[in-house]
Amino acid sequence: MTRHIAPIPPGALDLTGPAAVTRRRLQRASADVLERAGYQELLPPTFEYEEVFLRAGGPEVADRLIRFTDRDGRILALRYDFTASLARVAATTLRAAARPLRLCYSGKVFRQEPDRGGRPRETLQAGAELLGQGDLAADVEIVRLTLELARTMGLRDFQLNLGHVGVLAPGLSALPEDDRAEVRRWIDRKDRGSLGRALAHRPTEARALAELAFVIGRREALDRALRTAPTAVRAGLEHLCRLDESLNATERDHVVYDLGEVRGLDYYTGIQFELFTAGAGRAAGAGGRYDDLMGRFGTPMPAVGVSVDLDTIAEATAT
């Protein structure tokens, strides 16, 4: 009697026919864009010691790692993201290499989402990291690269929601630590009433969150925010204005400034963004500046990067 073959684990995917063809096409298209832009491909291992991902993402990623034990008893984890692996390589193998480093990648990442049942546990990504350059030009380069990736992979109706950590961080820092999680929750939910009540009688910088968190729009929205913004947040707003001035008209058509993004505030240190496209119910990409990460691997240097979700883009372009 033949024993039935067990189905694939929850969150795993079988991709055949057009689904497989589309993803390979997107990988080739993204690789062409990144190669032309001067990014060197890096192929890290599919699994690392779990310490690599915990060092990069902090203890909060522990529940999302897919782990197993090596023969020597050490705990390994499937690749949670590429950025951690590239940071490790830059701090070791490429420690003496000339900077800036332009590195790119393409492949699967593996993560569990305990609070979001039904999400795939493997995702096909492509992306790039610009390491060792901390100026406006590097931020502009990554934003332009993201827009070029979107266009080359066939997206037409897409938008880059772009913000800066320096806009919300001063106001949140002015709050008692125990109150910050609640305020971030109201900002994330865009609940103006609850946010206003939570900020009543708080310091001036904290009360400014009630307006800054709802600023979204084109360059004019930044200019309006600048007119009334506290001194502590002006540097972030001015950086976004200079970035806007560096883009051409076609690029600006796809950029919307969203100052109320709180996800990633504990990771990013400057600009942060998400890529959205018609036909997809989730972000098709994300990125930003993360200057503190490389120091966790023993080689401090500024860093900015982008990762695009090829599975999401494949689904969006198939509709």
Side-chain angles (χ1 to χ4, degrees):
M1 182 174 179
T2 303
R3 185 168 60 89
H4 291 295
I5 298 175
I8 60 176
L13 299 172
D14 283 326
L15 296 170
T16 61
V21 170
T22 298
R23 283 159 176 79
R24 290 305 179 211
R25 176 183 61 79
L26 293 174
Q27 280 189 298
R28 289 192 295 269
S30 61
D32 288 344
V33 170
L34 296 170
E35 183 179 352
R36 287 197 305 270
Y39 284 75
Q40 174 186 349
E41 186 174 12
L42 192 152
L43 299 174
T46 306
F47 55 89
E48 304 244 16
Y49 290 117
E50 69 165 352
E51 175 195 358
V52 171
F53 304 112
L54 293 176
R55 185 175 295 194
E60 58 268 24
V61 309
D63 291 340
R64 297 186 173 95
L65 297 178
I66 299 177
R67 300 184 182 89
F68 54 100
T69 306
D70 199 359
R71 295 172 65 179
D72 62 6
R74 296 186 65 178
I75 299 176
L76 306 173
L78 292 179
R79 184 195 300 127
Y80 177 80
D81 67 7
F82 277 92
T83 301
S85 295
L86 267 63
R88 175 188 55 75
V89 173
T92 54
T93 306
L94 301 178
R95 184 185 185 95
R99 301 176 189 174
L101 290 169
R102 289 178 170 83
L103 304 175
C104 65
Y105 57 83
S106 178
K108 291 287 188 74
V109 297
F110 306 87
R111 58 183 64 175
Q112 306 184 100
E113 298 286 353
D115 55 340
R116 299 166 83 176
R119 287 292 301 273
R121 290 200 286 179
E122 57 175 338
T123 305
L124 184 61
Q125 292 185 349
E129 314 290 343
L130 176 49
L131 309 177
Q133 185 173 335
D135 57 8
L136 173 67
D139 290 352
V140 172
E141 180 174 327
I142 288 296
V143 168
R144 281 182 166 154
L145 191 62
T146 304
L147 297 174
E148 180 61 22
L149 284 167
R151 282 191 294 267
T152 301
M153 289 189 290
L155 299 183
R156 294 293 177 264
D157 186 6
F158 65 90
Q159 175 177 301
L160 196 70
N161 282 21
L162 179 61
H164 195 290
V165 168
V167 175
L168 297 185
L172 290 168
S173 297
L175 294 168
E177 190 170 353
D178 292 344
D179 296 338
R180 293 172 193 170
E182 179 190 12
V183 169
R184 289 176 66 158
R185 183 168 63 252
W186 299 136
I187 293 174
D188 189 43
R189 295 180 181 179
K190 304 299 184 186
D191 188 332
R192 190 183 291 269
S194 297
L195 179 62
R197 288 189 290 274
L199 294 174
H201 312 299
R202 298 294 188 180
T204 301
E205 285 184 355
R207 292 201 307 273
L209 293 171
E211 298 300 326
L212 291 169
F214 296 93
V215 173
I216 183 168
R218 308 287 183 176
R219 171 60 186 269
E220 297 77 11
L222 298 179
D223 292 336
R224 287 195 299 272
L226 265 172
R227 286 196 285 270
T228 58
T231 302
V233 309
R234 293 184 67 85
L237 288 170
E238 290 169 352
H239 187 87
L240 291 176
C241 288
R242 292 193 298 271
L243 190 152
D244 184 83
E245 291 166 0
S246 300
L247 302 177
N248 62 42
T250 301
E251 292 164 339
R252 289 193 200 100
D253 284 343
H254 293 284
V255 175
V256 170
Y257 297 99
D258 182 358
L259 305 186
E261 182 56 67
V262 293
R263 285 164 290 185
L265 278 180
D266 298 327
Y267 179 79
Y268 293 114
T269 60
I271 65 164
Q272 59 176 341
F273 57 82
E274 288 189 293
L275 176 67
F276 294 97
T277 184
R282 58 184 183 271
R289 176 162 291 284
Y290 51 95
D291 288 347
D292 293 339
L293 175 61
M294 294 301 300
R296 302 175 194 174
F297 289 86
T299 307
M301 70 176 83
V304 60
V306 59
S307 173
V308 291
D309 183 337
L310 300 186
D311 289 324
T312 296
I313 294 174
E315 294 165 9
T317 54
T319 58

